[in-house]
Amino acid sequence: MGPMPDASEADAHADAEGLTVGQVSARLDVTVRALHHWDEIGLARPSLRTAAGYRLYTAGDLERLHRIIVYREIGLGLDRIRAVLDDPATDVPDALRAQRAQVAERIERLKRLDTGLERMIEAHERGLLLTVEQQAAVFGPRWDPSWPAEARQRYGDTPQWRQYAERSAARGPGEWQAVADAVAGLDRELGEAMDAGVTPGSDEAGRLVGRHREVFAAYFPLTRQMQVCLARMYETDPAFTAHYDTVRPGLAGWFRRLVDADARAHGIDPDTATWE
């Protein structure tokens, strides 16, 4: 709350001749509209009237206005202010304690909001809000903690990075462990399907391609065209290829063929597919 309005000069002037709405507005830093409203609802009415019909505020009126402004600053509603000022049955300390409890609740909400904003900022800047030790525990010994920074440098200006950051901001180690487990489970499914001879265009291949999009949505939504581009990267990027070769040698190329066949079945030419 800001400093209390200095009432001495205003009160002296009001004692002499009263103050107009405009003068009170300027001296007490309250809008004319608020003063008119308080007048209309009977909360603070000017006590004097000039021969010309103008209403003027007396020193007593200004004292009431000072109290209204103070109570409004601490968050009391106008009905509650009226009760505090006019109802002798109102327990003022209890009313103020209740208001203080509401203020405390708002402070806690604001603290949570501040924490959320801080995490969102960090997620946009860093991507992954885990310590190096947490990353190793969640993603395993092959994980390179420099990868999130490299991804930020490469993709930080894309809509997908922003979507990824928003998801990341809401995740701790437990949530990321669930994502890592889903990815590992998909890798096992793909390896077993390759061993079983699943062919591109089959029903099982279509299910696996759809499962890949579902699991990948933990990072950001993936369209079929984007999936074609991603599967192509799996086969051509050495880091991705090495990962899938640890599951089954040649798995990246096999999976790309499954994705391409699924894309064609949905009217997409894999050779011209672009990242949307």
Side-chain angles (χ1 to χ4, degrees), residues 146-185:
S146 68
W147 285 342
E150 293 174 2
R152 170 69 176 87
Q153 184 176 11
R154 187 172 182 179
Y155 303 111
D157 60 349
T158 65
Q160 287 74 37
W161 178 267
R162 292 190 285 274
Q163 292 167 327
Y164 164 69
E166 290 163 4
R167 287 161 171 76
S168 180
R171 289 179 181 148
E175 290 80 11
W176 276 117
Q177 187 64 63
V179 173
D181 291 345
V183 171

Side-chain angles (χ1 to χ4, degrees), residues 68-244:
I68 291 170
I69 291 168
V70 169
Y71 286 130
R72 189 180 65 163
E73 282 290 323
I74 64 174
L76 289 181
L78 296 183
D79 288 341
R80 197 62 174 155
I81 292 173
R82 188 197 304 275
V84 168
L85 296 182
D86 299 332
D87 187 351
T90 298
D91 188 320
V92 175
D94 279 353
L96 296 179
R97 287 190 189 98
Q99 183 62 23
R100 188 182 184 193
Q102 293 181 24
V103 169
E105 291 176 3
R106 288 200 297 270
I107 289 172
E108 287 303 312
R109 287 197 298 271
L110 288 172
K111 285 180 178 178
R112 292 193 295 270
L113 175 61
D114 181 64
T115 299
L117 287 170
E118 182 181 18
R119 286 185 61 83
M120 187 68 76
I121 291 168
E122 290 183 2
H124 277 274
E125 292 177 344
R126 293 171 44 200
L128 197 59
L129 303 185
L130 300 178
T131 66
V132 172
E133 293 76 17
Q134 288 171 331
Q135 292 178 43
V138 170
F139 301 114
R142 293 191 181 91
W143 176 262
D144 186 341
S146 68
W147 285 342
E150 293 174 2
R152 170 69 176 87
Q153 184 176 11
R154 187 172 182 179
Y155 303 111
D157 60 349
T158 65
Q160 287 74 37
W161 178 267
R162 292 190 285 274
Q163 292 167 327
Y164 164 69
E166 290 163 4
R167 287 161 171 76
S168 180
R171 289 179 181 148
E175 290 80 11
W176 276 117
Q177 187 64 63
V179 173
D181 291 345
V183 171
L186 176 61
D187 285 350
R188 287 192 298 271
E189 282 189 73
L190 293 177
E192 292 167 0
M194 184 177 176
D195 290 344
V198 171
T199 57
S202 65
D203 289 344
E204 178 61 10
R207 186 192 70 79
L208 289 169
V209 171
R211 177 63 179 152
H212 174 261
R213 285 196 307 276
E214 177 185 330
V215 169
F216 202 88
Y219 302 99
F220 53 80
L222 192 69
T223 66
R224 283 192 169 84
Q225 291 219 38
M226 292 164 67
Q227 188 179 30
V228 168
C229 298
L230 192 61
R232 190 183 304 146
M233 184 186 302
Y234 289 168
E235 189 177 30
T236 58
D237 185 286
F240 280 113
T241 303
H243 165 75
Y244 284 108

Side-chain angles (χ1 to χ4, degrees), residues 15-27:
D15 280 334
E17 59 186 49
L19 294 174
T20 66
V21 171
Q23 289 171 324
V24 171
S25 172
R27 290 173 187 269

